[in-house]
Amino acid sequence: MDFKELHYSVDARVAVLRFQRPERMNAWTPTLETELRQALALAEQDESVRCIVLTGAGRAFCAGMDMEVLRAGGDGERSGPLAEGRRYAFMDRIDKPLVAAINGAAAGVGLCLALYCDLRFVAAGAKLTAPYARRGLAAEHGSAWLLPRLIGPMHAADLLLSGRTLLADEAERMGLARMLPAEGFLDTVLERARDIANATSPRSVRTMKRQLRKARTQTLLEATDLADQEIAACRGTEDFREGVQHFIEKRAPRFTGR
């Protein structure tokens, strides 16, 4: 697929989706949003892909909505696939692991995208902000629901009500993202993504992502009952047999996802 504002590549079972507007700090546009949806669908459907990494070209992850788009009178919500509503909630339903490699500034919608990922890594020195209170806006794209669950109610209120900027080290202390050295940052994230893609059972990962989603509204007993059902369902699978066999034989696993 030929993208204009996003670069898509696959290597070692890891799909890398790189926002490709470095001259604008990867500021968000309707085109970039449409291409992200298409690229995620492509990665989700590709059986050779077992982990997906989002990152940005240049010195930013995504600096938020492009001000030229806002100046023109909108943000693209009423056109194309953006009219479907619940702008980024579809990311929460992707069964493959989503990893945010926050290589630089992440603001507004850029931060929201990272919140929808399963794992977030941030380069030392990177700046993050949810600046809505300083723009006369409300917390967008489910961030008021996501942030308290990720970092706790007080930290969430701090970030949203102040609209202040925080650095990577504070983001790590909050539990918002795991900080890694800026030098070699993406290589380190890709190494971890490749480990997930090649050393774990795709079936197990799919199942656990569903468990994590359901756990948000379950009691402990309900979550335990579901776990017992899923463990029983694992017993007859190819991946369970391979999980035991590769451990016994002390070799790399050959999981099929079945």
Side-chain angles (χ1 to χ4, degrees), residues 2-58:
D2 186 22
F3 297 116
K4 295 179 180 178
E5 298 184 357
L6 182 146
H7 182 267
Y8 181 94
S9 63
V10 178
D11 181 60
R13 294 176 171 169
V14 176
V16 178
L17 283 58
R18 182 182 287 107
F19 309 138
Q20 200 69 35
R21 303 188 73 225
E23 73 287 353
R24 298 286 296 170
M25 296 184 69
N26 303 314
W28 209 238
T29 67
T31 297
L32 188 49
E33 181 161 349
T34 298
E35 292 183 352
L36 175 65
R37 284 174 174 261
Q38 293 171 340
L40 285 171
L42 188 63
E44 190 174 18
Q45 294 161 11
D46 187 346
E47 293 185 1
S48 72
V49 171
R50 294 187 178 179
C51 188
I52 305 168
V53 175
L54 305 185
T55 193

Side-chain angles (χ1 to χ4, degrees), residues 16-137:
V16 178
L17 283 58
R18 182 182 287 107
F19 309 138
Q20 200 69 35
R21 303 188 73 225
E23 73 287 353
R24 298 286 296 170
M25 296 184 69
N26 303 314
W28 209 238
T29 67
T31 297
L32 188 49
E33 181 161 349
T34 298
E35 292 183 352
L36 175 65
R37 284 174 174 261
Q38 293 171 340
L40 285 171
L42 188 63
E44 190 174 18
Q45 294 161 11
D46 187 346
E47 293 185 1
S48 72
V49 171
R50 294 187 178 179
C51 188
I52 305 168
V53 175
L54 305 185
T55 193
R59 61 192 180 94
F61 178 73
C62 172
M65 181 60 64
D66 193 313
M67 289 300 174
E68 294 301 319
V69 174
L70 293 179
R71 187 178 299 171
D75 64 356
E77 287 188 70
R78 297 179 178 82
S79 63
L82 312 187
E84 296 172 5
R86 299 178 181 176
R87 295 283 282 278
Y88 307 109
F90 77 97
M91 295 174 66
D92 190 51
R93 299 189 295 273
I94 294 174
D95 282 336
K96 296 179 180 181
L98 286 177
V99 179
I102 307 170
N103 55 300
V109 63
L111 181 59
C112 286
L113 292 171
L115 298 182
Y116 277 103
C117 291
D118 302 297
L119 300 172
R120 286 168 297 282
F121 298 99
V122 61
K127 297 179 180 180
L128 299 87
T129 183
Y132 312 117
R134 302 191 181 205
R135 302 289 182 271
L137 294 168

